[in-house]
Amino acid sequence: MMDHRLARPLANVQLGAMITGPQIRAARALIGWTAQDLADRALLSYPTVQRAETSPDVPSMKAPNLLAIQRALEGAGVVFLAEGE
């Protein structure tokens, strides 16, 4: 019998702590960026950033795109803390 917890789409595989939609929105607001600013700095499309931000949890998207969003925000000085830090 297959363990369905192991059958996650590649986009949801964690590469360390993955950020959530609310964290993306909050981080962007803290540094005063529009969604288009974030898209430009992450080298992604505006709709991709919108989809990421509207997710209530870790966005279901390609891991490299989510990582690009996180790196763009971190490059602007945002620090993401793991739960409990």
Side-chain angles (χ1 to χ4, degrees), residues 7-43:
R8 297 182 303 201
L10 181 59
N12 292 331
V13 174
Q14 288 194 322
L15 303 174
M18 298 300 268
I19 58 176
T20 65
Q23 288 175 316
I24 295 168
R25 287 192 310 273
R28 185 173 60 72
L30 285 170
I31 57 177
W33 283 2
T34 65
Q36 186 63 58
D37 291 332
L38 177 54
D40 292 344
R41 286 167 173 84
L43 303 176

Side-chain angles (χ1 to χ4, degrees), residues 13-79:
V13 174
Q14 288 194 322
L15 303 174
M18 298 300 268
I19 58 176
T20 65
Q23 288 175 316
I24 295 168
R25 287 192 310 273
R28 185 173 60 72
L30 285 170
I31 57 177
W33 283 2
T34 65
Q36 186 63 58
D37 291 332
L38 177 54
D40 292 344
R41 286 167 173 84
L43 303 176
L44 298 171
S45 70
Y46 176 76
T48 297
V49 170
Q50 279 187 312
R51 282 192 304 275
E53 288 190 344
T54 59
S55 173
D57 198 15
V58 175
S60 179
M61 61 190 310
K62 294 178 182 177
N65 290 348
L66 188 56
L67 189 57
I69 290 171
Q70 183 171 342
R71 286 186 175 158
L73 292 167
E74 289 173 340
V78 173
V79 176

